[in-house]
Amino acid sequence: MIRSVVRGNGAALPRRIMKNADFEGMVETSDEWIVQRTGIRQRHVAADDETTASLGEAAARAALDSAGMTPADIDLIILATSTPNNTFPATAVEIQNRLGMHHGFAFDMQAVCSGFVYAVATADLYIRGGLAKRVLVIGSETFSRILDWSDRSTCVLFGDGAGALVLEAEDGAGAITDRGVLAASLRSDGVHKDKLFVDGGPSTTGTVGHLRMEGREVFKHAVGMITDVIEATFGEAGITAEDLDWFVPHQANKRIIDASAKKLGIAEEKVVVTVDLHGNTSAASVPLALSVAVADGRIKKGDLVLLEAMGGGFTWGAVLLRW
Ligand code: UT7
């Protein structure tokens, strides 16, 4: 059985760090409120010359380096983003060009904060279907560009950044001991479309628009949706929470992460938390968290890792893989 095995990973963050205290003169908020309600302490904010494409390119180059590969080795680029450089062409194609890659194919995937989980599951299908051998999966976002900086209920929550993985086809035994992607479950339900959305777009207003969120409503659904899709993934793989080495959740809110891990019976020391450092970087949050836990030596070859995300749509999903 063909498995999609992680060969390398990388990340890129804008130069500028914005601390919670930096908001205190802009909107009525406080470091204390932000830390207590979300766990966020800082986020990176892109300068004019830093875009979804440039951050995605930097993360992709880092992932290729760590895999010992060059763009010539890659067949497919999937970029998860909701903040493309332009309405079209796909920012994935721009990254392909920046990498000097003129073969293979590239496309964007739009599932908001669940984008990276959707993209890994999709890359796995391309690899197992024999349509690609080596795939660059990137999550890159510049949410700072779509924030309403006068809305304290959203502007303090998000940040910019990018992360990437290189996946490669490898023969596996079809067992849970295989390396690579082992199981995935994806969900969406558009009945919730107005709880977290951007109030503009090419076909409606002809503008880019700003992010709008009913935070309390999102919070109310998050834990149930996350735990439900993870339990489905555990069922598909035939494992329990105890078998996991690492839980790498979407980094939106420390309280959602804690409540989800508790409900699933995942021990606190197995949970990777980076929301304090990056804020919510949407589709970049899971690969950025992976990059921190790989760099500090927590996630090692052979570890069983669970990725999870939930966001606008709503969309949600989980991927189980052995690193
Ligand atoms: O990645 C996609 C998924 N997105 C999420 O997972 C976000 C989910 N939601 C959340 O994380 C939380 O709902 C928030 C962090 C957005 C808000 O936390 P909360 O505990 O649900 O607060 P709340 O919305 O119930 O607001 C409590 C109070 C309100 O004041 P009143 O009505 O009680 O007087 C808000 O106006 O806090 C006020 N508030 C703020 N105060 C200081 C809202 N934003 C701020 C702020 N600073 N930045």
Side-chain angles (χ1 to χ4, degrees), residues 246-249 251 257 270-274 289-290 292-293 298-299:
W246 301 107
F247 178 40
V248 186
Q251 308 285 323
I257 295 172
K270 293 181 177 178
V271 184
V272 176
V273 177
T274 51
L290 279 172
V292 169
R298 273 180 288 174
I299 297 181

Side-chain angles (χ1 to χ4, degrees), residues 13 40 43-44 52 79-84 109-119 138-147 154 157-163 196-198 211 213 248-253 274-275 278-290 307-313 315:
L13 288 160
I40 298 166
R43 73 287 292 139
H44 290 249
T52 294
L79 170 68
T81 191
S82 300
T83 45
M109 179 147 266
Q110 217 279 45
V112 202
C113 298
S114 309
F116 192 77
V117 167
Y118 270 54
I138 308 168
S140 184
E141 301 277 21
T142 44
F143 262 49
S144 62
R145 309 274 211 261
I146 54 164
L147 294 177
T154 54
L157 303 176
F158 295 89
D160 301 334
L196 172 49
F197 69 107
V198 171
L211 183 149
M213 177 165 75
V248 186
H250 173 48
Q251 308 285 323
N253 186 316
T274 51
V275 70
H278 304 144
N280 181 350
T281 57
S282 186
S285 94
V286 168
L288 277 171
L290 279 172
L307 316 180
E308 159 275 304
M310 184 262 177
T315 54

Side-chain angles (χ1 to χ4, degrees), residues 20 34 84 107 136 161 186 196 207 215 240 245 269 302 306 310:
N20 290 347
I34 300 169
F107 61 85
L136 248 177
L186 304 179
L196 172 49
T207 63
T240 68
D245 293 301
E269 58 274 14
L306 177 72
M310 184 262 177

Side-chain angles (χ1 to χ4, degrees), residues 2 57 165 172 188 224 238 274 299:
I2 299 173
E57 177 199 358
L165 290 183
S188 66
T274 51
I299 297 181

Side-chain angles (χ1 to χ4, degrees), residues 219-242:
F219 198 112
K220 209 170 77 185
H221 288 87
V223 178
M225 287 178 160
I226 289 165
T227 52
D228 171 64
V229 80
I230 289 174
E231 272 159 7
T233 310
F234 283 170
E236 189 191 328
I239 66 152
T240 68
E242 299 213 332

